[in-house]
């Protein structure tokens, strides 16, 4: 019946595979982090959303990449991590986040905690990398800059902190700085390592300049200096 009082339809009907599923929760727009703190949004992959319930603010989480909450796959004290499960050495992908608050001409410390299990092939490793675009002020031509610290391979001794300093040049294009998590071959064109890698607690933090920069020119006599 389509409304109260109408005759009830007669005949046969079958029902199967009934389900009730939660609709995907979209990721909320996160406010920009404070300049003095960690500039990476959702650094521990705790916030999820979208069709695949992937970590918010990170692009490329599909295929070999997924969020993990399993025991022994997260940094102590953290409830989730990003997992890489590579089985095809012909596939090479990255998980990325653009960080528009990074300022050209300023230094930063970039880091991630990485754990690998049977990650082998081509002498490669798991790590974090950064990229940006340099704009020539005279010609306007653009060139890519980057930082590529090495990371662990094989089966690491627990969690390993990887990363290093990033001195962003003055001619870096505003809004072009991004961090990437990846499992890479040692040389471009080599097969991608296969196995497991986990990433957690990603950070990009402003490094204040030293209060004094000096270079000794002369004189140097038996390690002694005399004021003039």
């Amino acid at each position: 019946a389509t409304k109260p009082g109408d005759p009830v339809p007669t005949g046969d009907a079958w029902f199967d595979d009934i389900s009730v599923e939660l609709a995907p929760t979209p990721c909320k727009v996160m406010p920009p982090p404070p300049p003095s703190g960690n500039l990476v949004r959702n650094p521990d992959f705790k916030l999820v959303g979208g069709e695949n319930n992937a970590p918010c603010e990170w692009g490329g989480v599909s295929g070999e990449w997924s969020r993990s909450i399993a025991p022994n796959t997260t940094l102590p004290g953290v409830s989730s991590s990003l997992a890489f499960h590579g089985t095809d050495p012909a596939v090479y992908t990255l998980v990325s986040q653009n960080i528009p608050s990074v300022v050209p001409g300023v230094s930063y410390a970039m880091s991630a905690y990485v754990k690998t299990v049977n990650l082998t092939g081509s002498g490669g490793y798991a790590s974090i990398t950064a990229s940006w675009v340099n704009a020539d002020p005279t010609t306007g031509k653009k060139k890519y800059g980057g930082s590529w610290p090495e990371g662990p391979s094989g089966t690491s001794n627990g969690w390993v902190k990887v990363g290093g300093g990033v001195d962003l040049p003055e001619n870096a294009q505003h809004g072009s700085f991004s961090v990437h998590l990846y499992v890479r071959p040692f040389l471009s064109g080599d097969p991608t390592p296969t196995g497991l890698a986990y990433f957690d607690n990603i950070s990009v933090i402003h490094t204040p300049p030293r209060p004094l920069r000096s270079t000794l020119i002369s004189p140097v006599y038996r390690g002694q200096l005399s004021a003039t």
Side-chain angles (χ1 to χ4, degrees):
T2 58
K3 59 183 178 179
D6 286 349
V8 177
T10 59
D12 299 323
W14 291 268
F15 301 85
D16 200 358
D17 197 21
I18 313 301
S19 67
V20 176
E21 298 180 357
L22 291 174
T25 302
C27 289
K28 296 181 179 179
V29 178
M30 299 181 66
S36 60
N38 186 5
L39 301 181
V40 176
R41 304 175 304 281
N42 198 18
D44 55 4
F45 312 100
K46 181 178 180 179
L47 303 177
V48 296
E51 291 294 331
N52 299 320
N53 212 30
C56 297
E57 302 292 343
W58 293 94
V61 183
S62 62
E64 298 85 2
W65 298 90
S66 63
R67 178 176 178 264
S68 178
I69 57 173
N72 301 319
T73 68
T74 64
L75 193 67
V78 183
S79 60
S80 55
S81 68
L82 183 70
F84 169 86
H85 185 190
T87 59
D88 186 351
V91 176
Y92 176 68
T93 55
L94 302 86
V95 170
S96 306
Q97 182 179 135
N98 177 256
I99 305 180
S101 52
V102 164
V103 179
V106 175
S107 297
Y108 295 88
M110 171 185 70
S111 67
Y113 283 86
V114 181
K115 179 180 180 180
T116 56
V117 180
N118 295 327
L119 188 71
T120 58
S122 73
Y125 51 85
S127 190
I128 183 174
T129 180
S131 67
W132 60 86
V133 177
N134 296 324
D136 189 308
T138 304
T139 64
K141 292 184 178 180
K142 298 178 180 180
K143 295 182 179 180
Y144 287 95
S147 175
W148 305 272
E150 293 189 8
S153 60
T155 298
S156 63
N157 184 18
W159 289 90
V160 179
K161 188 176 183 179
V162 301
V166 177
D167 297 322
L168 208 62
E170 294 281 355
N171 64 331
Q173 183 175 329
H174 282 276
S176 67
F177 183 91
S178 295
V179 291
H180 316 275
L181 307 176
Y182 68 160
V183 172
R184 58 157 293 170
F186 186 73
L187 296 175
S188 178
D190 287 347
T192 303
T194 57
L196 301 174
Y198 303 96
F199 301 79
D200 222 337
N201 199 18
I202 318 303
S203 70
V204 173
I205 299 175
H206 171 232
T207 304
R210 291 178 292 178
L212 175 64
R213 293 178 180 268
S214 61
T215 301
L216 175 62
I217 300 176
S218 66
V220 177
Y221 178 71
R222 294 184 179 180
Q224 297 180 353
L225 300 177
S226 59
T228 57

